[in-house]
Amino acid sequence: MRNILIALLMTLATQVGAQQLTVTVSALLSDAQVKLEHQNFTGQIDGVSVATEYMLSPDWHLAYEHLSGSGNFNGTTSDFNFNQNLFYAYREFAEDNFLLLNWKLGYKIGAGFYQKTSKFRTEHYNETQFPVLLGAEITNTSGVKISLSGLGQLDNLNNNRSGSLSFTAPIMNNLDVIGKYTNHSSKVNGLQHCGSDYFMGLSVQF
């Protein structure tokens, strides 16, 4: 699924060359916790994130994110691993009268499809959601961006949600460095995976 969606977005960019495709690859380090049957297990997870975003127009965007990770938890001898995929579309709104000079403010709202598979000990867990995305971003004239975003299915926010703070800075033409912090929680069939994720990566614009 990951390869198909990335290939689709890159094909769109080559056929409609006036628009912009952004590809971001990041390393993940997570302070994670798994709760199962009133037991808590903590540990660190390493992983990788691959994200693509295609600008359909100045206001409308399509995006796809894949995240995978694995690690050992205290008190267990088995690995915990997961793979998650998020495909969504969003509308962006610009605010011209922002209080800070040399900065502009934008908002975004969207919706999508989320799928996650996890393995803990010998058991496999699967979940599917249709989350809503809300976000805000400020950008200065040099291209530095600071973003806040939240994601979750409205009727299941107690069990499945995430919030992110990210920082983006240009380092050369069409190449940015990105740092992101995400706090998240997801629960399915008695297994809850939550934690704090730290990302560092590079973003390329085509």
Side-chain angles (χ1 to χ4, degrees), residues 89-204:
Y90 70 89
R91 170 78 185 274
E92 194 169 41
F93 303 87
E95 174 61 59
D96 295 328
N97 300 316
F98 190 46
L99 296 177
L100 298 177
L101 294 177
N102 301 320
W103 291 83
K104 62 180 180 180
L105 173 65
Y107 304 96
K108 60 184 179 181
I109 180 170
F113 172 79
Y114 170 89
Q115 183 267 339
K116 180 177 180 180
T117 60
S118 305
K119 178 180 179 292
F120 184 57
R121 294 176 172 169
T122 60
E123 297 295 326
H124 292 79
Y125 303 85
N126 296 278
E127 62 176 309
T128 299
Q129 294 187 63
F130 298 93
V132 170
L133 172 74
L134 298 174
E137 180 177 270
I138 56 173
T139 307
N140 72 5
T141 53
S142 63
V144 173
K145 299 178 182 180
I146 302 173
S147 306
L148 282 170
S149 63
L151 182 75
Q153 186 165 298
L154 296 180
D155 62 354
N156 198 24
L157 289 177
N158 288 335
N159 292 324
N160 294 277
R161 63 190 181 275
S162 68
S164 298
L165 170 66
S166 63
F167 174 84
T168 304
I171 54 178
M172 61 178 64
N173 289 339
N174 299 323
L175 181 64
D176 298 337
V177 62
I178 293 182
K180 185 170 75 170
Y181 166 78
T182 297
N183 186 273
H184 65 91
S185 178
S186 63
K187 184 177 182 180
V188 57
N189 296 335
L191 178 76
Q192 184 174 14
H193 171 209
C194 54
S196 298
D197 295 352
Y198 304 90
F199 299 87
M200 182 63 69
L202 295 174
S203 179
V204 182

Side-chain angles (χ1 to χ4, degrees), residues 14-36:
T14 58
Q15 293 183 354
V16 191
Q19 307 306 329
Q20 177 179 286
L21 176 73
T22 302
V23 178
T24 304
V25 179
S26 304
L28 162 70
L29 178 63
S30 176
D31 294 321
Q33 182 180 56
V34 164
K35 300 179 181 179
L36 179 65

